Amino acid sequence: MTTEPLYSPEKGEKGCHSFPLEQIESAVDFLEQSGCKKIGIMGASASAMIALTSAAYFHEITLTMVLTPSDFVMEGYYQDKLDGVGERPGDFESSLTFRGEPLPFLPYVYRHPEYWEKHIEESKRRGDLTAARDLFDESEHRHPIEEPEFIPVEKICGRLIMAGAEDDVLWDTCKYIRRMEKRIKERNGKAKCQALLYEHGTHFVFPESMIHKAIPFGVNILLPLIFKEAKGYTRECKNTRISVDKHLRAAIHEWQQ
């Protein structure tokens, strides 16, 4: 139920499944060998899961910025149009792998084709172009997340910034962010953690400068067409994006010192 290009082990595949973290490890190695003294990572939506997990594994990363993240590894999913559906779950395949082994993950409660049918049903009920919050809530209800499935965010080094909005209908990102804050505190985590939680912003809690590069014209018109939750809250959503932009810029500036 994602809204951005995603990651798979084979070039050209759409979806997020069996993504090898070694790709991030190789990028970190390349940057170090090129003389970079500081390495940061940023991700949004499902790629926030990749960014968080990578930062937990590779301690050369000292700035981690994630937008609308989850605090667990998801089951993988495909967007290969099988049987005409827009998305389907992997056959109990993790979204991430490391050293050839799949990382433990939260399994989806529904299988193909019910998975996509439930997605369409929820989107119509909510009035959104895309929604999956019920799917994730029900998946966690039926399969309480086990410890190996959580991202070990307490191992992240340096600075960690997480941003999300309460009106996100893809998943309950604010709940996940609060859980990560709690986990880091209880486990004496290494990172300096900052949580940016907003009432309005939808799943597109992106910096204002970034979203205008992605959508140069009409973002305030387009957003309510995608997410019903943005209707009547255009100014609030924009203020959220401006706030995120401000905080991320400040964090980068401080990190660079």
Side-chain angles (χ1 to χ4, degrees), residues 206-214 241 245 249:
F206 305 149
E208 180 73 355
S209 58
M210 179 184 293
I211 201 167
H212 276 286
K213 288 182 179 179
R241 298 193 302 270
D245 207 330
R249 288 176 183 271

Side-chain angles (χ1 to χ4, degrees), residues 67-256:
L67 312 174
T68 63
S70 68
D71 63 336
F72 53 88
V73 176
M74 300 177 183
E75 181 177 354
Y77 56 88
Y78 289 72
Q79 295 174 338
D80 55 2
K81 305 298 183 181
L82 180 68
D83 299 325
V85 304
E87 187 173 296
R88 64 181 178 88
D91 188 13
F92 295 102
E93 175 187 359
S94 181
S95 55
L96 305 177
T97 68
F98 188 57
R99 301 290 187 256
E101 295 295 327
L103 297 191
F105 59 89
L106 173 68
Y108 297 121
V109 65
Y110 305 116
R111 298 292 101 196
H112 176 69
E114 187 180 17
Y115 172 99
W116 183 250
E117 293 168 354
K118 290 291 185 180
H119 162 59
I120 296 298
E121 179 183 301
E122 181 179 353
S123 295
K124 288 182 178 180
R125 175 175 58 78
R126 291 184 182 275
D128 296 288
L129 183 63
T130 182
R133 187 157 170 161
D134 289 354
L135 180 145
F136 282 97
D137 287 348
E138 186 62 18
S139 294
E140 188 173 342
H141 174 71
R142 297 197 198 181
H143 176 93
I145 303 176
E146 299 175 358
E147 173 56 28
E149 297 161 2
F150 281 109
I151 300 170
V153 291
E154 68 277 7
K155 296 181 180 180
I156 294 175
C157 296
R159 186 77 181 268
L160 169 61
I161 304 175
M162 305 177 286
E166 298 285 359
D167 63 357
D168 190 332
V169 294
L170 267 79
W171 48 71
D172 194 348
T173 192
C174 288
K175 178 178 74 174
Y176 305 155
I177 290 172
R178 292 187 182 101
R179 285 198 307 216
M180 285 189 277
E181 276 192 298
K182 184 173 183 285
R183 182 183 179 99
I184 290 170
K185 182 177 181 180
E186 291 180 345
R187 300 185 179 219
N188 297 315
K190 301 176 181 180
K192 178 183 177 183
C193 181
Q194 182 179 13
L196 307 174
L197 302 178
Y198 302 91
E199 183 176 358
H200 300 288
T202 75
H203 196 65
F204 286 178
V205 178
F206 305 149
E208 180 73 355
S209 58
M210 179 184 293
I211 201 167
H212 276 286
K213 288 182 179 179
I215 309 173
F217 304 102
V219 61
N220 292 326
I221 297 174
L222 182 61
L223 196 61
L225 296 177
I226 300 173
F227 298 112
K228 185 187 72 174
E229 290 70 22
K231 292 180 180 178
Y233 296 102
T234 300
R235 182 171 59 183
E236 289 84 352
C237 290
K238 182 177 181 179
N239 287 341
T240 290
R241 298 193 302 270
I242 290 172
S243 175
V244 170
D245 207 330
K246 177 183 176 181
H247 281 94
L248 295 189
R249 288 176 183 271
I252 293 171
H253 178 75
E254 178 184 319
W255 174 67
Q256 288 176 329

